[in-house]
């Protein structure tokens, strides 16, 4: 069965894109967005390991849709940045998390009741979900009015929730669920469990047994009584037909409070409104991201990037780390290397060279990922960042040979490059990793010299990992970053990159010498 | 319920780890055979090391053990009976091995069966205590017997027996329940089982008045599982409580086995020493600092290893802050150092000492730094190994501790070795650590020649060159014949000037440091 992705939508009124009065405002944009509209997977998804990051946030269909749509307008990105700054504050974050969870469990309870075979347990469950929802809405609203959010998004939300919480309808909901639950839960019964049979009867006030046993043996207790007893786990009971029948027995034994429970949940069947569900989905997008960002540990610093309008401006990134590496690293204990990137307005094409296994791919991937996160209005994994909004981020990485694909390696590369160029605008970031690696160096050089003018014409930013050092020196105005090696051991890369002309073959020579393959060594050995 | 035979106010910690350096101490003092001789049974191999190597520093605690041990020595069978009863209690649990305790019901059954197996031993123990109470004079044993009589009375044990039968729930499980936040009939509280005769409706299988019931289908396996989980939820707390109760009762017997085991070990050692005619006495903890005096002290570890009485030594004391022991090779210096170390451990374990008298200040920790056998390490790393061990000891040393050094830093030459050792000894003695040093470095010994309060001892060599194995008071003597020749050639004056230079002097050509005669 293939269920259509169901994403709650706000009622829209014709062409009016602002939130209609009485509806909960959005936290993703000051304007209305239709998230149910199909959106394509970003082209750079797997090359940047963006898919790993997205998966780590455990997104639902709604959050997936948000992840797939970077914004082109700096104002929208800044609107979200403000919202995140607020949500990262513990006084809001915790209440928002509880609210989002309460909405999800309320939705589950509504569905469960609709399909329930035993009515009483399902109604109990729903009443409890209503109670948690009501507490969560009240707390979230209370936090918002107490701690004064700074973002436009949360300020409008505060006003909306305040109105909701103080409405008559919400008041009835709140009082009603507490009352019916308290009545049902005050019942105390005797439960007898015999082989194959369960019975329920009035509580006759017999003393509890565990305490008696405990005090009978208390004279033996001592702090040094050997290893602690391994107690089996308490069985995880869940609502099944035996549990449900036992509950129904209680309802038959004492019918009045259960009748009131039934009336309450029937009267408030529509308590969970569409816009509250949408709000919960939006919160889940931000909270999921914040949770992953926190989980990466203290050596991944996050900052809110300063965004310049798309299409121009300098790039300045300090202390950038690769989130994809950090995500995989969790179990391992390898330190993350941070890098800086400084590009002036004119430096549109940036070549990256350096030793093999020296972190070139990681470096450009980190920049691409940073640009993508910035274009979603999210924090970026760097100490400080200032950059133009770059949208779309396009990548061209070497692909493993695909047996389904009948084209040859070079042809495939060129087709992919062509597609990318079709999508490229002056606002784009192109990340090219070992372009034309499927052909000879001579060919690659020639092809590269053909595509460079196209990039220059489009005015996009290009990060270009290459081993063609002649190419680097032949392009006027291009920046060159070189992967560094340890000064005391030229065979060991430091995974840091510095602006400088290409380093030549010094690294290779050192590596060769270590294996007895330097020119002198070889001369001696091949005599 | 406490045992408290080893401490007046608490049970001994059976899980106490050996202090850092304990392995060195056992090796250096040659305690291995002693510990084997004391071990009351194979499984209690950690008992005697734990008690011996965690020394007491409170004279009241030492006296507590000495009195219990005195009772045990006057009636060894009683102590062994207590030890055996505790052993039977622990062994009684072997028959319930098939209950894993991994499910609630298996945990409950295992606990009930375990406690039922312990009941007859508890009865026996209480009767034994009542019988033997009048014969003991130590507070430790008298209080233990009184506790056993009070806590394990016949009425209490009868009640336990009844309770254990009820907790088998032959009539099904009854609990109090509420509809809680889980949405289920939860917060289950097991209720006391009904006792007495069944009412008429139960006998005929009718539903009693005021009850509603349902029965699951005979083939409803999911239902049966759900029912079992409900039952386990109800029983879990009581099962856990029962398991803890069994653990506590067993814990008491384990503790009893442990603490009586130590005294049984002492009995074994006492029999061994009296068997080879080594005299023993009750040692006295001294109240001040640096006290150390003894008469006819035998080396415990040598007596146990050799199986005959060694040559005893005297040490007049009364104060030894720094002792320098020099003298003939094979003259008993190491044995003397070990005899002090062993006696100190015995004193601070509350035991007897193989001497006619022994009085010493209490040391929080005893440290040993003995030269290791030649083939222990590669030659190049030997000095480093010694320095590593010494550095660990320095980390652990506190004022009042006792350090026994035996030919430390002999792996290097005398100048360097003396220089290193003197710096360390000076610092430790200034820190308030008592240090006994066996050395053949004359340079080191002479460094302390004018230090007030230093005790000099000498392994005696008789006129004919043979060894008496006695350590007697005496200043270090130069055994170097080269020295004699040197003095004959250059006159005695030079000797004095060199003696005052000390190990810090670092005069590379000092002929006194050369053991061999110059050609």
């Amino acid at each position: 069965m293939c269920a259509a992705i169901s994403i709650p939508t706000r009622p829209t009124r014709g062409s009016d894109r602002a939130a209609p009065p009485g509806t909960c405002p959005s936290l993703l944009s000051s304007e209305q967005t239709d998230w149910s509209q199909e959106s394509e997977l970003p082209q750079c998804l797997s090359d940047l390991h963006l898919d790993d990051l997205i998966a780590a946030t455990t997104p639902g269909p709604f959050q997936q849709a948000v992840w797939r749509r970077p914004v082109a307008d700096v104002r929208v990105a800044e609107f979200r940045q403000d919202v995140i700054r607020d949500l990262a504050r513990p006084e809001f974050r915790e209440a928002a998390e509880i609210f989002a969870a309460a909405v999800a469990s309320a939705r589950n309870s509504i569905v469960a009741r609709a399909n329930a075979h035993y009515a009483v347990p399902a109604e109990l469950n729903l009443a409890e979900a209503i109670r948690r929802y009501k507490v969560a809405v009240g707390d979230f609203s209370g936090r918002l009015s107490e701690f004064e959010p700074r973002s436009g998004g949360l300020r409008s939300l505060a006003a909306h929730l305040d109105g909701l919480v103080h409405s008559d309808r919400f008041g009835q909901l709140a009082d009603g669920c507490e009352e019916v639950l308290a009545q049902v839960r005050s019942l105390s019964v005797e439960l007898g469990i015999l082989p194959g049979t369960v019975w329920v009867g009035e509580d006759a006030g017999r003393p509890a047994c565990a305490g008696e046993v405990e005090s009978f043996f208390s004279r033996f207790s001592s702090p040094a009584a050997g290893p602690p007893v391994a107690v089996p786990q308490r069985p995880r009971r869940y609502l099944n037909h035996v549990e449900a029948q036992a509950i129904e027995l209680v309802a038959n034994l004492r019918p009045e409070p259960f009748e009131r429970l039934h009336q309450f949940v029937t009267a408030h069947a529509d308590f969970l409104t569409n816009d509250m569900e949408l709000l919960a989905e939006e919160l889940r997008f931000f909270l999921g991201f914040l949770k992953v960002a926190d989980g990466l540990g203290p050596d991944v610093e996050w900052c809110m990037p300063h965004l310049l309008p798309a299409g121009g401006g300098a790039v300045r990134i300090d202390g950038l780390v690769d989130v994809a590496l950090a995500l995989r690293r969790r179990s391992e204990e390898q330190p993350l290397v941070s890098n800086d990137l400084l590009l002036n307005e004119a430096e549109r094409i940036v070549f990256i060279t350096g030793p093999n296994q020296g972190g070139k791919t990681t470096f450009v991937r980190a920049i691409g990922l940073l640009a993508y996160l910035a274009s979603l209005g999210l924090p970026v994994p760097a100490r400080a960042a200032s950059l133009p909004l770059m949208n779309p981020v396009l990548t061209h990485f070497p692909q493993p040979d695909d047996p389904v694909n009948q084209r040859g390696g070079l042809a495939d590369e060129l087709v992919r490059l062509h597609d990318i160029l079709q999508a490229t605008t002056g606002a784009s970031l192109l990340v090219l990793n070992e372009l034309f690696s499927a052909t000879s160096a001579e060919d690659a050089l020639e092809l590269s010299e053909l595509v460079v003018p196209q990039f220059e014409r489009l005015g996009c930013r290009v990060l270009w990992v290459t081993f063609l050092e002649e190419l680097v020196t032949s392009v006027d105005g291009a920046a060159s970053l070189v992967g560094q090696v340890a000064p005391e051991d030229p065979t060991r890369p430091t995974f840091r990159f510095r602006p400088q002309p290409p380093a030549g073959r010094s690294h290779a020579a050192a590596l060769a010498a270590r294996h007895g393959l330097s020119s002198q060594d070889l001369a001696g050995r091949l005599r | 319920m406490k045992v408290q035979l080893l401490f007046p106010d608490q049970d001994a910690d059976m899980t106490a780890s050996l202090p850092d350096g304990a392995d060195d101490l056992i090796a250096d003092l040659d305690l291995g055979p002693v510990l084997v001789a004391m071990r009351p049974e194979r499984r209690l191999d950690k008992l005697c090391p734990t008690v011996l190597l965690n020394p007491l520093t409170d004279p009241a605690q030492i006296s507590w053990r000495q009195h219990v041990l005195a009772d045990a020595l006057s009636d060894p069978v009683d102590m062994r009976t207590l030890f055996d009863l505790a052993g039977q209690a622990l062994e009684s649990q072997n028959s319930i091995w098939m209950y894993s305790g991994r499910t609630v019901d298996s945990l409950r059954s295992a606990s009930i069966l375990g406690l039922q197996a312990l009941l007859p031993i508890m009865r026996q123990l209480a009767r034994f205590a009542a019988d033997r109470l009048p014969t003991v004079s130590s507070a430790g044993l008298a209080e233990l017997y009184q506790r056993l009589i009070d806590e394990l009375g016949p009425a209490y044990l009868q009640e336990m027996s009844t309770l254990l039968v009820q907790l088998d729930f032959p009539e099904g499980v009854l609990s109090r329940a509420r509809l809680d936040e889980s949405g289920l009939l939860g917060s289950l509280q097991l209720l006391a089982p009904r006792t007495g005769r069944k009412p008429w409706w139960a006998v005929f299988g009718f539903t009693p008045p005021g009850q509603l019931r349902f029965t699951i289908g005979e083939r409803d396996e999911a239902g049966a599982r759900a029912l079992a989980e409900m039952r386990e939820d109800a029983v879990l707390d009581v099962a856990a409580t029962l398991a803890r109760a069994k653990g506590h009762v067993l814990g008491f017997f384990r503790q009893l086995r442990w603490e009586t085991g130590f005294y049984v070990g002492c009995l074994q050692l006492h029999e061994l020493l009296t068997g080879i005619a080594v005299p023993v006495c009750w040692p006295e903890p001294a109240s001040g600092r640096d006290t150390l005096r003894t008469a006819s002290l035998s080396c415990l570890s040598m007596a146990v290893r050799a199986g005959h009485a060694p040559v005893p030594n005297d040490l007049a004391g009364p104060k030894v802050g720094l002792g320098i022991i020099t003298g003939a090779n094979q003259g008993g210096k190491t044995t003397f150092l070990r005899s002090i170390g062993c006696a100190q451990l015995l004193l601070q374990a509350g035991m007897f000492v193989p001497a006619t008298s022994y009085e010493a200040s209490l040391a929080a920790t005893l440290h040993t730094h003995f030269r290791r056998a030649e083939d222990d390490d590669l030659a190049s790393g030997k000095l480093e190994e010694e320095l590593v061990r010494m550095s660990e000891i320095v980390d652990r040393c506190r004022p009042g501790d006792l350090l026994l050094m035996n030919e430390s830093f002999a792996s290097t030459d005398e100048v360097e070795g003396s220089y290193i050792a003197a710096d360390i000894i000076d610092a430790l003695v200034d820190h308030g650590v008592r240090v006994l040093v066996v050395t053949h470095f004359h340079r080191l010994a002479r460094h302390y020649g004018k230090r007030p309060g230093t005790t000099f001892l000498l392994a005696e060599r008789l006129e004919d060159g043979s060894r008496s194995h006695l350590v007697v008071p005496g200043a270090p003597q130069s055994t170097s014949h080269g020295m004699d020749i040197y003095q004959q050639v250059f006159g005695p004056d030079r000797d004095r000037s060199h003696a005052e230079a000390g190990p810090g002097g670092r005069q590379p050509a000092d002929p006194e440091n050369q053991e061999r005669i110059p050609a």
Side-chain angles (χ1 to χ4, degrees), chain A residues 34 51 131 168 192 262 325 370 389 427 435 440 456 479 497 505:
Chain A
D34 180 8
D51 44 359
R131 193 190 63 79
D168 289 346
H262 173 74
L325 207 61
L370 177 139
L389 198 61
L435 193 62
S440 68
E456 285 172 339
F497 290 82
R505 308 191 64 81

Side-chain angles (χ1 to χ4, degrees), chain B residues 322 405 420-430 435 437 444 448:
Chain B
L322 170 62
M405 290 169 68
I420 296 171
D423 277 357
I424 294 168
I425 294 167
D426 285 348
L428 289 173
V429 170
D430 287 349
V435 186
V437 184
L444 177 66
Y448 292 103

Side-chain angles (χ1 to χ4, degrees), chain A residues 298-323:
Chain A
D299 57 345
V300 182
E301 286 186 77
W302 293 86
C303 74
M304 207 61 92
H306 175 63
L307 293 175
L308 310 171
V315 174
R316 184 185 187 109
I317 302 169
D318 293 339
L320 165 72
V321 296
D322 184 27
V323 172

